[in-house]
Every structure is written in C-alpha cells, then in structure tokens.
Amino acid sequence: MAVLTPAPHRAVVEHLVRQAVYSRLGRPLPRAAAAPNPLVVNVSARHCHLTQAPVEALFGKGHELQVHKWLYQEGQFAAKETVTLVGPRSRIISNLRILGPCRTLNQVELAYTDGIALGFDLPHRISGDIRGTLGCMLMGPAGFFEMEQGVIRAMRHVHMHPTDADYYGVKAGESMTLKIGGPCGIVLDKMLCRVDPSFKLEVHIDTDEGNACNLQPETPCELIK
Amino acid sequence: MAVLTPAPHRAVVEHLVRQAVYSRLGRPLPRAAAAPNPLVVNVSARHCHLTQAPVEALFGKGHELQVHKWLYQEGQFAAKETVTLVGPRSRIISNLRILGPCRTLNQVELAYTDGIALGFDLPHRISGDIRGTLGCMLMGPAGFFEMEQGVIRAMRHVHMHPTDADYYGVKAGESMTLKIGGPCGIVLDKMLCRVDPSFKLEVHIDTDEGNACNLQPETPCELIK
C-alpha cells in the first residue's frame, strides 16, 4: 500500500506565493511574508507515543511501526497501527493512533473531551512531563500493554527552528499567543515555545481547541509574542 | 423525586462577598465588584428545545416536561426527559437533554465535536436562525419525531439584563469579548449580546470552548467590550 504524502499545507503554499508576488512587484514584504517560514497550525487528534517494547507486546515480536501518513515535522509519521485504550474506570477509546517513530517514553495525549468520556481529570502537562500521572491499559491484536503512567492533556505548544525563535524574539520555554480568526475565532494564550534545529515552525493545538474555533486550512492565524 | 435546586454559582457568592467586604471597609468598589450583577459563565452541553407537539410524539399524549434541574435563567430548566438523536448519516447521540419549558421552535444545539461524531458540518448560527439547516430524527420512549431542520452549533452569546448592557456599554446584537484565565486560558471574540428584561447576566459557551480552556467554577473570567 502506498504511503500517503499529504499535499503541502495551505499556509506553506500561501507563504511561497506571497513572497513571489511581492518580489515580482519589487515591493517590500509585509510582516507575514517577511517571516523566514510559514506559520502552520495543525490540530493534533488524540494519539500515543510508544517505545519499541510495547509496540512488540501489542503487535508481535519484532514488529515495526508502518507509515500511514507523514506529518509536517521531518521524519514524524502517523502509523498504520492503532490501539484500544482502556481507562482507569474501564471505559474505552478505540482506534487510538500511534505516532512514530518510537520514542523513549510512553505517553497518551488526549483532549479534555476524551478525559470526560473516560471519566477522570486529565492532568495538563508539558509533553514528556508525566511524573505522577495516571496510566491506562492498551490493547492490540497481539496482546496488552499496561502503561503505568503517562495519560495527559499536552499543553498547547509551537515547534520552532532557532531562526523562527529569533524572528519572533522568543526563547525555548517562553510563551506566545496565537490569534485564530474566522466567525468563531479565539485567542490562545500560553502557547509554549519549543525550539530545536530539527523543528519546522508549527503550532499544535488539540481537538477541543480546534473545534472551539472551527479551525480550517483557510482560517487566518497569527503568532504574537 | 425532589427537584434539584443547584447551589448558587460561585461567581454569585463571590460578587456578594466582594461587595460586602468593600462596603464594610468603607473603600471604593473595584471594577468587578462595581458591576450591577455577577458575571456567570456556564458551559451549555448539547441539548434540544422542543415545542409541545414533539414532546407528546416522543413521550406520549398530554405529556409535560418534568423539571430535573433549574438553570440560572429564571424559569428555564433541564428536563428529566432525554431523547436519542439519529443524525443524517444514521449515527446516534444518546441521552440528549431537553431544556424546558417548551418553545415555539424545535432546535438541537451541538458542539463541533458532536458534529464530527455525527459525520457532517454543523452550521454555526444564532440560536433561532435555523433556515436551511439539516434536521434529524429524535427517538423517545413513546415514538419518533422527525425534525426537518434545526441542528446547529449555537453562536457563543451573553444573556444580559438592560442594566448589564448599560453597564458594559453595549446594545443587543453587538459583540463582546470574554477573557477566560487559568493555565490554559483563552479569549473568545464575537460573543453575541442578547438583551432582555427577563435575562440575568450569563455567558453561554459550548463544551468545545469550555474544554479548550478547562473552565471550572473558580476560573477567572472577564467580559470586555
């Protein structure tokens, strides 16, 4: 089966077109077009990150995650594999997508709406900070895996390359604000900046936030210090 | 069975205490305490409004809605009765609460998350404006009712008494902004003002918006023109 390579995000195409048009007209670039990179805002649906051991427990010895769809961050992908999550009150979420490649930590990222469906208060954490959080049981076709901790709502964040951080005048760990327009626009404060030379500029919000403002590819977004 | 009379909303108690303390100290009231009424922000979970005819079709001839819980707006209540909604793609939402008393219009108000679960794009409308929207089938213990139109996402809005509208300097139909604080605070633009002498000051947001910011009774909120 062919791996889906998604079409470029609309924000990427718009950024290229805007830069080309202004340069052709010989006019100075407006602020949005002068940014080193396009601002891509994506909604992260609920998902999990796993180490290799649970992947084998769930899908069989030696199993490796298969690429379903490449994500915007280089080398990251939505895997073909999904699992069933059994929460602490025995309630279930089916078809929880695994993101690959495997990491060094097991973590499930849900929206508050999912937490309400599962019947418990999700802790609101920076991705990776799972100390003291509740765990869950994962079920796959080849077996179970008991995650002792790691079910969280991830804090909204923006992935930035150092050139993006320079352009916006922020440092790793600082916060920014995202303005999302449209007929039910919202402003999201406390958008954590995560800076790494391997990152492409991309905001991740969850499905609650994305649905609150009905984020669509053409919805105007602005990142503000 | 006793009708639930909810304890006063925390915002109401805080407003009374704040006014009493400042008056006792003989000091001028700060802005929040000087408002004529406390700012109550409530999350509206999905629900429907019905006329008497469908209530009888669903629950039997002569049936009248029973009060489960009184709401903040005078005379409004969550009914004991719930229905099952069958959407246009035959997907189902169970336990959809009816709000009473009966109105002159049938309308179902869902969050976008519900629309995604049902598999169609919810129109984003001012409550009451249902021309050209999709309908649904409702199922109750005594029968079915086919709603020809009226399934919407209601625009976020604020109910205001004329004294509140005067205080905030707005008119019916204008928009305000709601700032919601806390660790995952958001700012909601385009909050429609609905003004009526029968209204108490209350903002209604839906579950997507409430979950995006994890609104709790103690979460600080501010209404801005």
Side-chain angles (χ1 to χ4, degrees):
Chain A
M1 220 165 79
V3 170
L4 297 174
T5 305
H9 192 287
R10 179 171 166 139
V12 174
V13 176
E14 281 184 355
H15 194 69
L16 290 172
V17 171
R18 210 180 278 121
Q19 289 188 325
V21 168
Y22 279 92
S23 130
R24 187 79 166 261
L25 295 171
R27 290 173 56 185
L29 292 171
R31 185 176 155 75
N37 293 299
L39 174 62
V40 172
V41 179
N42 277 319
V43 175
S44 288
R46 54 181 175 244
H47 63 269
C48 65
H49 300 284
L50 296 176
T51 63
Q52 180 60 24
V55 169
E56 299 198 8
L58 294 160
F59 296 93
K61 187 116 191 89
H63 186 91
E64 292 192 4
L65 293 177
Q66 304 294 302
V67 178
H68 167 60
K69 198 177 84 173
W70 292 103
L71 302 177
Y72 188 62
Q73 295 298 321
E74 202 68 35
Q76 303 294 306
F77 60 89
K80 287 185 181 157
E81 292 81 356
T82 62
V83 292
T84 298
L85 178 158
V86 187
R89 293 179 63 190
S90 296
R91 297 189 193 163
I92 276 176
I93 287 180
S94 306
N95 301 317
L96 181 71
R97 184 71 59 185
I98 304 175
L99 299 193
C102 283
R103 297 199 179 176
T104 55
L105 187 82
N106 297 309
Q107 180 173 288
V108 172
E109 298 179 32
L110 304 177
Y112 275 131
T113 299
D114 301 318
I116 290 163
L118 291 176
F120 75 104
D121 283 336
L122 279 179
H124 181 231
R125 294 290 183 92
I126 295 176
S127 178
D129 171 20
I130 58 169
R131 281 164 302 125
T133 60
L134 283 178
C136 66
M137 182 73 86
L138 300 179
M139 304 192 314
F144 294 83
F145 176 71
E146 191 177 348
M147 248 180 72
E148 293 193 356
Q149 56 179 12
V151 183
I152 63 168
R153 177 194 204 185
M155 282 187 195
R156 54 182 82 132
H157 57 273
V158 47
H159 293 262
M160 307 180 111
H161 187 273
T163 58
D164 300 313
D166 283 350
Y167 173 76
Y168 288 102
V170 291
K171 293 196 177 66
E174 290 185 349
S175 285
M176 297 190 74
T177 294
L178 181 73
K179 287 182 81 162
I180 301 178
C184 47
I186 61 176
V187 180
L188 298 169
D189 295 330
K190 305 193 181 71
M191 181 75 58
L192 182 74
C193 298
R194 297 178 55 191
V195 182
D196 192 279
S198 71
F199 287 165
K200 292 162 76 176
L201 182 65
E202 183 186 24
V203 169
H204 279 163
I205 61 176
D206 71 12
T207 45
D208 287 336
E209 293 158 343
N211 290 338
C213 63
N214 193 23
L215 184 73
Q216 301 295 322
E218 69 277 15
T219 306
C221 294
E222 190 183 359
L223 193 59
I224 303 163
K225 191 181 172 180
Chain B
M1 221 168 76
V3 171
L4 298 174
T5 305
H9 192 287
R10 178 171 167 140
V12 175
V13 177
E14 282 184 354
H15 194 71
L16 291 171
V17 171
R18 209 180 277 123
Q19 290 187 326
V21 168
Y22 279 91
S23 129
R24 187 79 165 262
L25 294 171
R27 291 173 56 184
L29 292 172
R31 186 174 155 76
N37 293 300
L39 173 63
V40 171
V41 180
N42 277 321
V43 175
S44 287
R46 53 180 175 245
H47 63 269
C48 66
H49 301 284
L50 297 176
T51 63
Q52 180 61 23
V55 168
E56 299 197 8
L58 294 161
F59 297 93
K61 187 120 191 86
H63 186 92
E64 291 192 3
L65 293 177
Q66 305 294 302
V67 178
H68 167 60
K69 199 177 81 172
W70 292 103
L71 301 179
Y72 187 63
Q73 295 298 322
E74 203 67 36
Q76 303 293 307
F77 59 89
K80 286 184 181 158
E81 292 81 355
T82 63
V83 292
T84 297
L85 178 158
V86 186
R89 294 179 62 189
S90 296
R91 298 190 193 163
I92 276 176
I93 287 180
S94 306
N95 301 318
L96 182 71
R97 184 72 58 185
I98 304 175
L99 299 194
C102 283
R103 296 200 179 176
T104 55
L105 186 82
N106 298 309
Q107 179 173 289
V108 172
E109 299 180 32
L110 304 178
Y112 275 131
T113 298
D114 300 319
I116 291 164
L118 291 176
F120 74 104
D121 283 336
L122 280 178
H124 182 231
R125 294 289 183 93
I126 295 176
S127 178
D129 171 20
I130 57 168
R131 283 164 299 126
T133 60
L134 282 177
C136 65
M137 182 72 88
L138 300 179
M139 304 191 316
F144 292 83
F145 176 72
E146 191 177 347
M147 248 180 74
E148 292 192 358
Q149 56 180 12
V151 183
I152 62 167
R153 178 195 203 183
M155 282 187 196
R156 53 181 83 131
H157 56 272
V158 49
H159 293 262
M160 307 180 110
H161 187 273
T163 57
D164 300 313
D166 283 351
Y167 174 76
Y168 288 103
V170 291
K171 292 194 177 67
E174 290 185 347
S175 285
M176 296 191 73
T177 294
L178 181 73
K179 286 181 82 161
I180 302 179
C184 47
I186 62 177
V187 179
L188 297 169
D189 295 329
K190 306 192 179 70
M191 181 76 56
L192 182 75
C193 298
R194 298 178 54 190
V195 182
D196 192 279
S198 70
F199 286 164
K200 292 163 76 177
L201 183 65
E202 182 187 25
V203 170
H204 279 163
I205 60 177
D206 70 12
T207 44
D208 287 336
E209 293 158 345
N211 290 338
C213 64
N214 195 23
L215 184 74
Q216 301 294 322
E218 70 276 15
T219 306
C221 294
E222 190 185 357
L223 194 58
I224 304 162
K225 191 180 173 181

